[in-house]
Amino acid sequence: MSRTLWAGQERPSTPPPDEEERLRELGYQPVLARRMGGFGNFAISFSVISVLSGCMTLYGFGLGTGGPAVMMWGWAGVGLFVLCVGLALAEVTSAYPTSGALYYMADRLGGRRWGWYTGWLNLLGLLGAIAGIDYGAALFTGAFLNLRFGFEPTPGSTFVIFLCILLLHAVLNLFGVRLVSVLNSISVWWHLTGVAVIVGALAIVPDHHQSAGFVFTEFVNDTGWANPLYVAAIGLLLAQYTFSGYDASAHLSEETSNASVTAAKGIVRAIWVSWIAGFALLAGLTFAIQDYAGTQNTATGVPPAQILLDALGSGGAAALLLVVIVAQLFCGNAEVAAASRMVFAFSRDNALPGSPLWRRVSARTQTPVPAVWLSVTVAGLLAVPSLYSATAYGAVTAINVIGITPAYAIPIYLRLRAGDRFRPGPWSLGRWSKPVGWTAVVWVAVVTVLFCLPQRSPVTVDSMNYAVIALAVVLVLASVWWYVARRSYGTPAPYGTAREQAELSEGIV
């Protein structure tokens, strides 16, 4: 008999559930193609976390917001807490494997309003993530073109590259989930190999390396704030931004085989594998810094590119930048897939303006085509302020974190509040459920406050943290729209199991 691990103990496993039947029990008729396996489901969350996107894109932010010490120890600490969030979220995902994911869980465990606001926060985070990932890829593409062809990146040219990347990701997602799954599987090996190659090259080629003392204890504060604890707390954005998007496994659960188990495992595996790979990448980059000030003020506009340039020369730097750019493209493509499924699911329950359009599914590819286009269009609009403000990109990444992180905690909190009324799925934490869950909820509460705080002093129009304004706007719009759509919005009543339905029809219950 096969066995599975539950809360640190091996117990006999039950046969894999019939996921199509389970979806009907939850109230939905299957319309998406279930063509993704367990590795593909893990791969989409791993690709969205993408250490070669988050770590590299926000490395410059980390250099001035606490420096090496905060980047390294912050990554280790944040990763541990995020693993708690992932474990707790995986348990609830196993019980409710639907494309709606977080908001469906909140709706079932707490009621319609809990589901409504969770959905809007989740949607804000997912769309902000697309904007942040693809704009970061555009910045790195500009740096690559600068190294190879002398191209001078400007806000306008970077934005054009960004729009081209969005278009590419929209088109790739229109071909169906099978292509998305294949690309994500390739992405896993690309990321792991890419990290190994970059760290290996930076360890072997340069004649000079920073000391371990510098890498793990050097504190740098260029924020204008005097309190080192405040600066260190703000510096956690690098790690917390990177460790987001792992709900992608849940959003693709209606397209995953044995999703009640594999989607839960996909979330957890994506986090711990990224935790290890990201720590190695940050250490490799930081040991290889040749000129700290020169790295911060690089003409390429991308500090990791300057580290590669100083350590490996223009040829080596360009080659490794290309590795990073491809990884970022994989990451953005996976995020578009996750966001479009959220749009589809939210529209299926009539939560968005124009829901009848956004929930349409292609008969040929069984893909929510209008939802894909809406996702990339809104992501493009979110990045428009980058044309006018140098701090706008930081605001976009903060929008991602401030939107999606609270959305993770809400279903976890509601599951804890439900107590024994919560019926676990086949993947459960058992006796560890409460301590892990409360750790996750407290952590999310702390980081939500942290990322509403200003990151630069003095606070001006350019340096203000606009994430809190974006959060307030979304909550206000969600509240206003609630009074318009509350009568039509709602997740369907669960059908019950096939046996329960038969008993009902026979008058047994």
Side-chain angles (χ1 to χ4, degrees), residues 116 134 158 219 378 416:
W116 177 268
D134 282 2
T158 301
F219 183 86
V378 175
L416 293 168

Side-chain angles (χ1 to χ4, degrees), residues 203-288:
I204 295 171
V205 176
D207 294 328
H208 168 73
H209 289 92
Q210 299 290 342
S211 67
F214 173 87
V215 172
F216 293 102
T217 64
E218 182 72 13
F219 183 86
V220 179
N221 178 12
D222 294 332
T223 66
W225 298 107
N227 190 318
L229 292 178
Y230 183 91
V231 174
I234 297 302
L236 298 179
L237 177 60
L238 184 155
Q240 186 64 53
Y241 165 68
T242 304
F243 279 118
S244 63
Y246 43 86
D247 57 315
S249 288
H251 288 294
L252 272 292
S253 58
E254 290 185 31
E255 297 160 88
T256 302
S257 301
N258 194 22
S260 297
V261 175
T262 53
K265 288 183 176 179
I267 292 171
V268 177
R269 287 173 177 169
I271 293 171
W272 69 258
V273 174
S274 298
W275 190 15
I276 296 171
F279 190 86
L281 178 63
L282 289 173
L285 286 169
T286 309
F287 271 111

Side-chain angles (χ1 to χ4, degrees), residues 81-357:
F81 285 113
V82 170
L83 185 59
C84 289
V85 178
L87 286 165
L89 186 62
E91 181 178 53
V92 189
T93 297
S94 180
Y96 302 107
T98 72
S99 294
L102 308 180
Y103 90 85
Y104 181 88
M105 302 171 196
D107 185 286
R108 280 289 179 263
L109 293 169
R112 294 172 71 235
R113 283 213 183 194
W114 281 104
W116 177 268
Y117 284 101
T118 302
W120 280 99
L121 287 170
N122 191 196
L123 188 59
L124 169 69
L126 289 168
L127 296 174
I130 297 174
I133 293 163
D134 282 2
Y135 194 83
L139 288 171
F140 272 72
T141 301
F144 173 81
L145 295 174
N146 174 268
L147 284 176
R148 298 304 297 164
F149 308 107
F151 172 80
E152 292 297 330
T154 65
S157 61
T158 301
F159 195 79
V160 171
I161 297 171
F162 166 67
L163 292 179
C164 292
I165 293 172
L166 283 177
L167 180 61
L168 170 66
H169 288 154
V171 171
L172 288 175
N173 271 272
L174 297 182
F175 283 99
V177 74
R178 181 167 292 169
L179 176 61
V180 171
S181 182
V182 169
L183 291 175
N184 288 330
S185 298
I186 296 172
S187 171
V188 171
W189 301 112
W190 186 275
H191 274 81
L192 294 176
T193 304
V195 168
V197 170
I198 291 171
V199 173
L202 292 176
I204 295 171
V205 176
D207 294 328
H208 168 73
H209 289 92
Q210 299 290 342
S211 67
F214 173 87
V215 172
F216 293 102
T217 64
E218 182 72 13
F219 183 86
V220 179
N221 178 12
D222 294 332
T223 66
W225 298 107
N227 190 318
L229 292 178
Y230 183 91
V231 174
I234 297 302
L236 298 179
L237 177 60
L238 184 155
Q240 186 64 53
Y241 165 68
T242 304
F243 279 118
S244 63
Y246 43 86
D247 57 315
S249 288
H251 288 294
L252 272 292
S253 58
E254 290 185 31
E255 297 160 88
T256 302
S257 301
N258 194 22
S260 297
V261 175
T262 53
K265 288 183 176 179
I267 292 171
V268 177
R269 287 173 177 169
I271 293 171
W272 69 258
V273 174
S274 298
W275 190 15
I276 296 171
F279 190 86
L281 178 63
L282 289 173
L285 286 169
T286 309
F287 271 111
I289 292 175
Q290 306 296 306
D291 178 359
Y292 203 95
T295 298
Q296 288 181 288
N297 302 308
T298 174
T300 66
V302 178
Q306 191 64 46
I307 293 174
L308 297 175
L309 184 62
D310 292 343
L312 308 175
S314 60
L320 293 186
L321 267 182
L322 198 56
V323 171
V324 174
I325 291 167
V326 173
Q328 292 172 333
L329 294 178
F330 279 129
C331 174
N333 190 64
E335 187 63 43
V336 169
S340 62
R341 270 52 175 191
M342 173 60 197
V343 171
F344 159 77
F346 218 26
S347 299
R348 181 172 59 182
D349 293 326
N350 295 308
L352 296 180
S355 286
L357 172 61

Side-chain angles (χ1 to χ4, degrees), residues 468-507:
V468 65
I469 295 178
L471 177 62
V473 168
V474 168
L475 291 177
V476 169
L477 290 176
S479 298
V480 171
W481 189 248
W482 167 259
Y483 288 100
V484 175
R486 59 180 174 174
R487 293 180 180 175
S488 60
Y489 162 74
T491 57
Y495 292 176
T497 64
R499 180 178 178 180
E500 289 169 346
Q501 293 177 51
E503 289 173 342
L504 280 169
S505 67
E506 296 170 8

